[in-house]
Amino acid sequence: MTRDEKFRVKRRSARRDLWRQFSSIPALPLKIALLSAYIAGAVYVQGKQEAVDAFMETLILPAPLVEAICDNLLRSYLLAGVIAFVVLLVYPFNRKMVTDGCLQIALTNNAGETPTLLRVRRDKEHPRVKIWELNNPSIPLKMWEDKQLAIEAAFDINVVSVDFGKSTSRIILKFVPGRNVLPKHIVWEDEYLSPDSFVLTLGEGYIGPVTVDLASIPHILLGGSTGSGKSVLLKLLLMQSLHKGAEVYIADFKGGVDFPPAWHERCRMCFEEDDLLELLTGLADELERRKKLFGKVGCSNLDEYNKVSKTQLKRLVFACDEVAEILDKSGADKKRKDQIGLLESKLSIIARQGRAFGIHLILATQRPDANLIPGQIRTNLGCRICGRADSILSQIILDSTAAADQISKEARGRFLLHDGTMFQSFLFDETTTLGAGGNSIQA
Ligand SMILES: Nc1ncnc2c1ncn2[C@@H]1O[C@H](COP(=O)(O)OP(=O)(O)OP(=O)(O)O)[C@@H](O)[C@H]1O
Ligand SMILES: [Mg+2]
């Protein structure tokens, strides 16, 4: 596009913007009402001129400005109307700042046009959240998403969401003003426990608690480099699962340092790989058993079954803190490869069918190895959470480099959810907070 063409496009857009600005202020009926009131006001003011003149004569030495206004009542009224109109046109007042910011971060279309701010309002449901409605000059949503970090830095905000408005020519940008508004430490309180079964609270996001409903997204893949807070978050989820009456199974090949004795009393722990195959086989068998049970009574999921059946079935949660330890085939001999193949096949059955039968996987990893978790298991781990990570690990967990880009190197307990929600997970005292739970499955 030549400079002349760009200039012409910009001039036409500026004219259109001016009209849009006016048309976006109030709705049409309100505009007509305002205009009618304005005209009626003018007629009224004109009618009062004589009375005001008579009043002015009674005053000794009125201020020159007051005198001028009173002498030209109608003109002053009309002038005030024009000023109000112009103010409405330039509203919202930080339009220019937004345009400049977009230019600085190259958030423009091919003709170099930037989005323009049309309206600013507060989110009624979340008072901390502000909403910008912007005119979008054919900038793809992907570009808005890719530039999220730059937008946050340019306007000193935390983006909560960015989406099209009524049409693709409008963008709705929700944000919380100020950077890094999430606290570095949030201590768990029992009141954070969600009353809904089987909703687990992950942490605190910009607009409130961030949760995952295992009844609809049954399995979780949790990633992050060492020290990012994976184990703390994993245990937070398991603690809530216990509180909600689930049976928890933990594979821990790190010598038990992450799971003190309080866990051993409440959960079925597994420290040996041979044990693990037995455990996963038990879970896969339980899945088959439940499948037959549900089939007999014509139920399609655990909640339905528990409603109609006298015996209640518990949800079963299997957690592995470093899944790379059990699935890594590099350097393995044939016997071990076969063993890993068996583990994979059991995990795969649970990953594919676990949702309906209330059997869940929470797998954590810090290894940036794309081939470690077989595709069939990976695609069924619908809830993806990534803490501080390099771009390879972030790509593996979230299918984007967002965690590497958005979470600082010092952050602990700060995570990004697959839908782009940032949150700070809770810290809790595992010696006092663990709820009663049981373990009955025969492996
Ligand atoms: N939610 C949190 N809020 C504040 N600090 C946290 C949080 N989670 C973890 N931390 C801090 O980070 C430290 C490391 O956490 P954690 O052991 O969970 O990391 P990790 O990702 O499991 O590391 P590794 O991969 O080495 O096992 C904790 O000892 C704690 O001090
Ligand atoms: Mg850990």
Side-chain angles (χ1 to χ4, degrees):
M1 200 180 249
T2 64
R3 275 184 64 185
D4 268 5
E5 281 169 337
K6 275 190 183 174
F7 180 70
R8 277 202 298 277
V9 170
K10 274 190 182 166
R11 214 172 43 192
R12 279 201 297 274
S13 299
R15 260 185 254 133
R16 265 199 315 273
D17 273 359
L18 205 64
W19 172 244
R20 264 199 209 109
Q21 185 61 21
F22 177 61
S23 57
S24 76
I25 300 164
L28 189 65
L30 192 56
K31 261 182 247 175
I32 294 171
L34 280 176
L35 200 63
S36 311
Y38 182 60
I39 294 168
V43 173
Y44 176 79
V45 164
Q46 178 65 357
K48 286 282 165 193
Q49 182 69 61
E50 272 182 29
V52 172
D53 286 346
F55 174 70
M56 286 299 287
E57 275 166 24
T58 63
L59 293 183
I60 318 150
L61 278 179
L65 183 64
V66 175
E67 198 176 359
I69 291 174
C70 293
D71 285 350
N72 302 281
L73 210 52
L74 182 62
R75 279 197 204 122
S76 307
Y77 176 83
L78 293 177
L79 184 67
V82 170
I83 292 171
F85 179 71
V86 171
V87 167
L88 278 180
L89 275 187
V90 292
Y91 169 85
F93 299 106
N94 40 10
R95 273 186 97 201
K96 188 88 185 84
M97 181 272 288
V98 170
T99 309
D100 290 350
C102 290
L103 266 180
Q104 281 159 7
I105 59 173
L107 183 61
T108 62
N109 63 11
N110 285 345
E113 294 172 289
T114 61
T116 38
L117 186 59
L118 297 175
R119 291 177 72 191
V120 179
R121 57 181 195 274
R122 283 220 174 261
D123 190 337
K124 288 194 190 100
E125 286 167 33
H126 307 288
R128 279 172 72 193
V129 176
K130 272 186 155 185
I131 302 176
W132 280 356
E133 185 173 343
L134 300 120
N135 163 48
N136 184 34
S138 312
I139 299 173
L141 192 58
K142 175 91 174 59
M143 190 193 241
W144 284 91
E145 286 164 358
D146 290 348
K147 296 240 174 215
Q148 182 174 324
L149 269 188
I151 294 172
E152 291 183 341
F155 303 119
D156 191 25
I157 59 175
N158 289 293
V159 173
V160 174
S161 68
V162 53
D163 210 345
F164 288 130
K166 278 183 283 189
S167 67
T168 53
S169 66
R170 292 286 164 92
I171 283 286
I172 304 293
L173 184 78
K174 296 189 178 182
F175 64 91
V176 180
R179 304 271 285 147
N180 298 322
V181 288
L182 283 179
K184 286 188 178 149
H185 296 89
I186 314 174
V187 176
W188 169 262
E189 310 265 346
D190 281 344
E191 70 200 43
Y192 297 139
L193 192 71
S194 167
D196 304 320
S197 160
F198 203 86
V199 176
L200 305 182
T201 308
L202 297 164
E204 184 72 19
Y206 294 132
I207 57 173
V210 178
T211 58
V212 55
D213 181 359
L214 289 198
S216 55
I217 309 181
H219 313 297
I220 300 173
L221 177 60
L222 176 56
S225 55
T226 182
S228 57
K230 295 183 300 298
S231 298
V232 172
L233 177 54
L234 179 76
K235 288 191 279 185
L236 179 76
L237 298 176
L238 298 181
M239 176 270 286
Q240 293 175 62
S241 303
L242 286 171
H243 271 288
K244 286 173 179 283
E247 290 177 4
V248 172
Y249 301 80
I250 301 171
D252 176 23
F253 301 112
K254 285 183 153 184
V257 284
D258 280 325
F259 293 92
W263 290 95
H264 303 200
E265 289 159 23
R266 310 261 194 287
C267 311
R268 156 94 192 254
M269 302 297 298
C270 169
F271 302 109
E272 304 291 331
E273 288 195 15
D274 290 340
D275 261 4
L276 181 62
L277 184 56
E278 206 180 319
L279 170 61
L280 288 176
T281 307
L283 287 171
D285 290 350
E286 173 68 8
L287 189 149
E288 288 302 325
R289 189 179 78 84
R290 291 185 175 191
K291 198 186 284 183
K292 287 194 191 109
L293 273 178
F294 289 15
K296 266 190 213 153
V297 287
C299 291
S300 63
N301 64 50
L302 186 86
D303 290 332
E304 267 181 37
Y305 179 83
N306 280 342
K307 265 186 212 144
V308 299
S309 161
K310 272 188 232 129
T311 49
Q312 299 290 291
L313 290 176
K314 289 183 173 183
R315 284 187 186 271
L316 312 177
V317 179
F318 170 78
C320 180
D321 199 4
E322 184 43 275
V323 73
E325 299 281 325
I326 58 169
L327 296 182
D328 188 5
K329 288 190 187 130
S330 53
D333 57 16
K334 177 157 182 332
K335 188 166 166 254
R336 183 157 157 71
K337 275 189 185 154
D338 290 347
Q339 169 103 348
I340 294 172
L342 284 172
L343 291 175
E344 281 178 2
S345 82
K346 301 297 173 198
L347 282 173
S348 176
I349 292 169
I350 300 169
R352 276 185 285 117
Q353 305 181 40
R355 191 184 72 81
F357 305 105
I359 305 180
H360 307 279
L361 301 175
I362 308 180
L363 306 180
T365 186
Q366 68 176 67
R367 290 257 294 270
D369 184 344
N371 304 318
L372 210 66
I373 302 170
Q376 225 189 18
I377 300 176
R378 240 179 77 84
T379 48
N380 285 296
L381 303 174
C383 178
R384 308 277 182 88
I385 303 168
C386 193
R388 166 164 55 76
D390 60 18
S391 50
I392 304 170
L393 183 56
S394 172
Q395 190 77 44
I396 291 167
I397 306 288
L398 300 174
D399 295 322
S400 79
T401 57
D405 297 338
Q406 296 179 30
I407 300 176
S408 86
K409 298 277 170 286
E410 294 77 41
R412 286 166 190 275
R414 185 67 52 94
F415 292 91
L416 252 186
L417 197 57
H418 53 265
D419 65 0
T421 308
M422 178 85 76
F423 65 89
Q424 179 71 27
S425 74
F426 299 108
L427 275 172
F428 73 103
D429 180 352
E430 51 201 332
T431 53
T432 57
T433 322
L434 282 183
N439 192 330
S440 64
I441 188 174
Q442 264 77 58

